[in-house]
Amino acid sequence: MAFGLTRAVWNYRGFVVGSVKREFQTRYRNSLLGGAWMVLNPLAMIIVYTVIFSQLMKARLPGVDNGLAYGIYLCAGVLTWGFFSEILGRSQSVFLENANMIKKLSFPRICLPLIVVLNAGVNFAIIFALFLGFLAVTQNLPGWTLLGVVPVLLVQILFSIGLGIILGVLNVFFRDVGQFVGIFLQFWFWFTPIVYPLSILPEAVRPLVAWNPMTALISAYQTIFVYDRWPDWSSLWPVALAACVLCVLGMRLFRKRAGEMVDEL
Amino acid sequence: MGSVLVEGLGKAYKQYPNRWARLAEWIIPFSKPRHQLKWVLQQINFRIERGEALGIIGINGAGKSTLLKMITGTTQPTSGRIAIEGRVAALLELGMGFHGDFTGRQNVFMAGQLLGLGMEEIAGLMPAIESFAEIGDYMDQPVRTYSSGMQMRLAFSVATARRPDVLIVDEALSVGDAYFQHKSFDRIREFRKAGTTLLIVSHDRQAIQSICDRAILLDHGRLALEGAPEEVMDFYSAMLAEREQQTVRQERLDNGKVRTISGTGEAGFVDIALLNAQGQRVEVIETGAEVTLQVTVEAKVAVPRLVLGFMIKDRMGQAIYGINTHRLGRALERVEAGERVVYSFAFRAALGKGNYSIALSLSRFDSHLDTNYEWRDFALVFHVINIKQPDFVGCAWLDSNLTIERDATPELAAL
């Protein structure tokens, strides 16, 4: 089954890659600066988070003397969270947005969430490269621990795909899901130590926040970038497991409902 | 490769009494189904062999599109199965997936990718696609600047760039100018010769009868009739003709053809004859002969208006000539019950050799679709032979006049 799906996607790789490219082309097609916007937007974001927060507002991270530490802390969390929420937000509506195509053409439907993930991936790659560049320039680049980002990112992507497909399929049948996700993501963001360190939370709340799978992921990035240490692998295993379970559930739900989905759109 | 087998095919949509019922059905374990199935297609069985052409006929809502969507794989059947050997291409939603901001060339790549073709493959097919579409420099202009006909041309060229094993065509094909229509039909015929199996949905009698080997008629989601295109088409026309108080019956004639008779029966045919110049009934006539079609009609009850029409069809069922008394400005008003009317259409049989049939209709207005008293296919069959005229090709005797002018040869001029 899984093999058949992979093969179908492989046969349509041209369509997948083409769609990803096309999306970027469409976005900047009629602008003068074109592709430059792909860089300018995230660059502005990084500057806001680092220069303004660290230098002008003098926000400091407890226990670290580096003046840029808070900015780096913020970027490590916000950028990766952005990647997560982009996949989630777009995959929950991906089937609805492509309803026309789904109803009228025959192609492997699983390509659609894949396109979303690849698109978000490219966006993230750009902004992340800028972030690394910024770290290199300010001589804050972590050492070998940077490699720790790779497995953490993989777990995060898996987690978002699984959840995204589930939400995407559910949203076709229950449109409330889309509305709910929008609200839920906001709460989720503030419930994850991204703009604040975990230590400022009251003792009573901390175990609760630890149940949040995103806490483990975001903390891992923060550990790598701010403290230049390997992340706490033991906290990531449960998330990895959850990610796998979500993916399996998502694929099962998708397989079971893909046919009915076409009738519902 | 190219055979299509449809077995016990059915499609139903789930209908829930309210929005919450679906949720309840999903999350309450072992709960009984809370939906009702609305069947739009049921118990469809047919088989198409490699290289065969099948026409699918039916009124809107009969389930034609649903059937095609299931064959192309866009929707899943609720029951039964479809087995297709080979690659399927569908000309259903031409231009679907075209993006207005991109050039024709870029769109060809996208559309090709959506058909599962690789970049190199599309690049290889590009010259052929370009030359078939004949849209010239527009190929590198954004598609939003195209006329709808140009978009059609390009979409058709991409969809048929590679010969499929099974080709599914919707009547959408009648878009575009006459020139391109001919061209696209030629391509479809070429495919057929090369062994492509064809499925065509159309209301167009000409299209179905000229291409298809067989036809099926869908009615209310069921297969109502399967048979020769002409027979199915006749039944369909009769079915279309006003539905209330109508009888449709088909009789098998000696020559194996099926005669369809339908109508309210308020007025009917009493006698139908083809007469030669001497007033004798004939079945065989000479090309160019003066003949008269004499039709005796009787009104069973008083009818407010009576129009008689006849149509001569060739052996393939294609219309050669048809006219009615409404178009001739001679419709009869207020015909009394029991009144008999004798119509005589005199014409010159400018026809080529072969078998012809005459279909007759008695209706109130121009079209038999509105109050059809009686419609009769194969009301009369006759044969045309050609003895006196030069042996020509085709069914229309245009009797062309030939003049030839030749320059005097130089030698002769010199003399």
Side-chain angles (χ1 to χ4, degrees):
Chain A
M1 282 295 181
F3 174 72
L5 214 58
T6 321
R7 227 183 76 175
V9 170
W10 179 248
N11 287 339
Y12 274 75
R13 61 192 184 279
F15 166 65
V16 173
V17 175
S19 300
V20 174
K21 266 196 216 157
R22 187 149 61 248
E23 178 149 337
F24 282 95
Q25 285 170 344
T26 328
R27 203 179 308 167
Y28 305 110
R29 170 157 290 266
N30 291 322
S31 62
L32 294 176
L33 294 183
W37 290 112
M38 272 162 73
V39 177
L40 289 176
N41 269 322
L43 191 65
M45 195 165 132
I46 291 174
I47 289 171
V48 168
Y49 288 147
T50 52
V51 177
I52 299 187
F53 274 97
S54 310
Q55 305 308 115
L56 300 178
M57 289 168 62
K58 306 271 185 227
R60 285 288 176 268
L61 206 59
V64 187
D65 345 313
N66 186 344
L68 276 175
Y70 180 66
I72 294 169
Y73 181 88
L74 201 57
C75 281
V78 169
L79 302 188
T80 47
W81 175 271
F83 184 30
F84 168 71
S85 72
E86 187 180 344
I87 293 183
L88 215 57
R90 294 210 33 213
S91 53
Q92 54 102 351
S93 62
V94 71
F95 297 117
L96 291 181
E97 277 167 13
N98 293 290
N100 230 346
M101 223 157 82
I102 293 178
K103 275 192 292 188
K104 291 178 176 168
L105 292 174
S106 170
F107 64 99
R109 308 287 147 73
I110 199 70
C111 289
L112 294 173
L114 191 66
I115 291 167
V116 165
V117 172
L118 288 178
N119 245 316
V122 174
N123 278 329
F124 178 71
I126 294 168
I127 197 165
F128 197 66
L130 286 172
F131 178 51
L132 290 182
F134 171 81
L135 290 180
V137 168
T138 58
Q139 302 205 320
N140 282 306
L141 205 62
W144 285 108
T145 55
L146 188 59
L147 289 177
V149 169
V150 178
V152 184
L153 263 181
L154 282 178
V155 171
Q156 184 194 318
I157 293 172
L158 216 57
F159 183 74
S160 4
I161 293 179
L163 198 57
I165 290 181
I166 292 177
L167 293 174
V169 175
L170 285 180
N171 199 20
V172 173
F173 298 98
F174 310 102
R175 306 285 159 102
D176 313 74
V177 171
Q179 308 290 337
F180 177 73
V181 168
I183 300 173
F184 189 75
L185 269 178
Q186 292 192 29
F187 278 99
W188 201 350
F189 177 82
W190 291 105
F191 203 64
T192 311
I194 295 170
V195 291
Y196 57 85
L198 192 58
S199 55
I200 67 159
L201 288 180
E203 284 288 345
V205 188
R206 276 189 225 177
L208 220 63
V209 177
W211 274 100
N212 175 358
M214 286 310 285
T215 304
L217 291 170
I218 301 286
S219 305
Y221 298 121
Q222 292 161 343
T223 314
I224 294 169
F225 286 107
V226 180
Y227 302 102
D228 192 9
R229 283 201 308 259
W230 291 100
D232 175 13
W233 298 117
S234 64
S235 71
L236 287 170
W237 282 115
V239 188
L241 188 69
C244 291
V245 170
L246 281 177
C247 276
V248 171
L249 282 179
M251 288 318 290
R252 276 185 54 185
L253 184 72
F254 175 79
R255 295 199 67 91
K256 195 172 162 202
R257 301 289 172 183
E260 205 181 330
M261 202 157 68
V262 184
D263 303 340
E264 199 58 34
L265 283 167
Chain B
M1 290 303 253
S3 70
V4 179
L5 175 69
V6 172
E7 245 177 27
L9 195 70
K11 175 77 187 175
Y13 291 102
K14 288 182 181 175
Q15 280 187 327
Y16 289 87
N18 57 56
R19 284 168 217 273
W20 295 97
R22 185 198 295 273
L23 187 65
E25 188 183 290
W26 279 40
I27 57 177
I28 300 173
F30 309 113
S31 81
K32 59 176 191 324
R34 286 159 197 270
H35 61 260
Q36 285 188 324
L37 289 178
K38 184 177 187 304
W39 289 92
V40 290
L41 216 55
Q42 251 177 317
Q43 279 303 318
I44 306 292
N45 293 291
F46 61 85
R47 191 186 161 83
I48 319 171
E49 299 299 335
R50 175 180 188 274
E52 232 190 329
L54 180 82
I56 301 175
I57 307 160
I59 55 165
N60 294 337
K64 294 175 310 230
S65 312
T66 313
L67 177 62
L68 291 192
K69 272 183 177 177
M70 284 194 285
I71 294 174
T72 54
T74 317
T75 29
Q76 302 296 316
T78 312
S79 66
R81 68 186 195 104
I82 299 170
I84 300 178
E85 282 172 17
R87 202 173 72 88
V88 183
L91 303 179
L92 297 180
E93 296 291 341
L94 282 179
M96 188 60 216
F98 268 19
H99 198 300
D101 281 341
F102 293 87
T103 67
R105 198 176 301 279
Q106 287 168 318
N107 269 300
V108 167
F109 275 103
M110 292 179 221
Q113 286 164 350
L114 211 47
L115 296 173
L117 301 176
M119 285 295 258
E120 300 87 49
E121 215 172 344
I122 303 169
L125 291 169
M126 188 62 88
I129 293 172
E130 225 180 315
S131 70
F132 192 84
E134 291 184 68
I135 53 170
D137 296 341
Y138 273 98
M139 198 65 185
D140 292 300
Q141 299 290 320
V143 165
R144 70 181 136 78
T145 63
Y146 285 28
S147 69
S148 58
M150 282 157 71
Q151 271 195 41
M152 253 289 304
R153 285 172 170 229
L154 190 60
F156 181 90
S157 310
V158 182
T160 59
R162 234 176 45 172
R163 184 181 75 82
D165 299 307
V166 179
L167 182 67
I168 297 175
V169 186
D170 201 354
E171 47 201 333
L173 209 65
S174 50
V175 197
D177 55 22
Y179 166 73
F180 197 74
Q181 264 183 49
H182 271 268
K183 200 169 162 179
S184 45
F185 261 98
D186 277 347
R187 175 166 269 194
I188 291 174
R189 284 201 190 92
E190 261 168 47
F191 281 175
R192 257 207 80 186
K193 266 188 218 144
T196 292
T197 307
L198 213 59
L199 259 103
I200 296 187
V201 166
S202 180
H203 295 293
D204 181 12
R205 195 178 187 108
Q206 301 281 106
I208 294 274
Q209 287 182 183
S210 64
I211 299 185
C212 299
D213 305 309
R214 250 184 328 140
I216 58 173
L217 175 68
L218 292 181
D219 186 31
H220 291 102
R222 288 176 185 274
L223 209 158
L225 189 68
E226 177 173 358
E230 197 177 355
E231 173 188 337
V232 176
M233 229 33 227
D234 285 345
F235 190 88
Y236 175 63
S237 315
M239 205 179 85
L240 271 190
E242 212 190 352
R243 308 222 177 125
E244 43 195 279
Q245 354 152 356
Q246 281 264 4
T247 54
V248 175
R249 69 173 200 273
Q250 291 198 315
E251 306 167 350
R252 195 157 284 278
L253 302 181
D254 298 340
N255 61 3
K257 300 270 188 183
V258 171
R259 168 193 287 166
T260 305
I261 301 172
S262 67
T264 61
E266 288 165 84
F269 301 110
V270 178
D271 183 51
I272 302 151
L274 190 65
L275 309 174
N276 64 11
Q278 287 75 45
Q280 295 157 326
R281 291 182 179 236
V282 283
E283 278 180 8
V284 178
I285 55 179
E286 165 77 10
T287 293
E290 297 293 340
V291 292
T292 303
L293 173 68
Q294 197 176 70
V295 183
T296 311
V297 173
E298 188 181 75
K300 305 275 185 300
V301 295
V303 290
R305 194 165 187 272
L306 189 66
V307 174
L308 170 70
F310 79 97
M311 180 154 64
I312 299 179
K313 297 196 264 187
D314 69 3
R315 71 190 162 81
M316 305 298 287
Q318 310 268 22
I320 302 299
Y321 175 80
I323 193 90
N324 62 29
T325 57
H326 171 90
R327 295 189 184 199
L328 292 167
R330 304 278 296 276
L332 298 179
E333 306 287 337
R334 283 187 302 281
V335 180
E336 300 303 324
E339 193 179 334
R340 282 203 175 194
V341 186
V342 179
Y343 290 92
S344 295
F345 295 97
F347 57 89
R348 187 170 192 211
L351 299 166
K353 59 188 174 192
N355 273 311
Y356 295 87
S357 72
I358 296 181
L360 292 171
S361 83
L362 270 179
S363 58
R364 187 168 167 187
F365 300 108
D366 185 27
S367 155
H368 79 283
L369 298 185
D370 190 357
T371 319
N372 166 28
Y373 301 132
E374 181 164 343
W375 169 281
R376 187 181 290 228
D377 282 300
F378 293 107
L380 198 108
V381 179
F382 64 93
H383 193 74
V384 175
I385 50 169
N386 181 8
I387 302 168
K388 296 181 191 144
Q389 308 302 334
D391 191 25
F392 62 92
V393 178
C395 59
W397 179 48
L398 299 182
D399 194 16
S400 59
N401 251 321
L402 175 69
T403 38
I404 300 177
E405 280 174 41
R406 229 176 144 177
D407 279 341
T409 54
E411 292 93 298
L412 289 172
L415 286 173

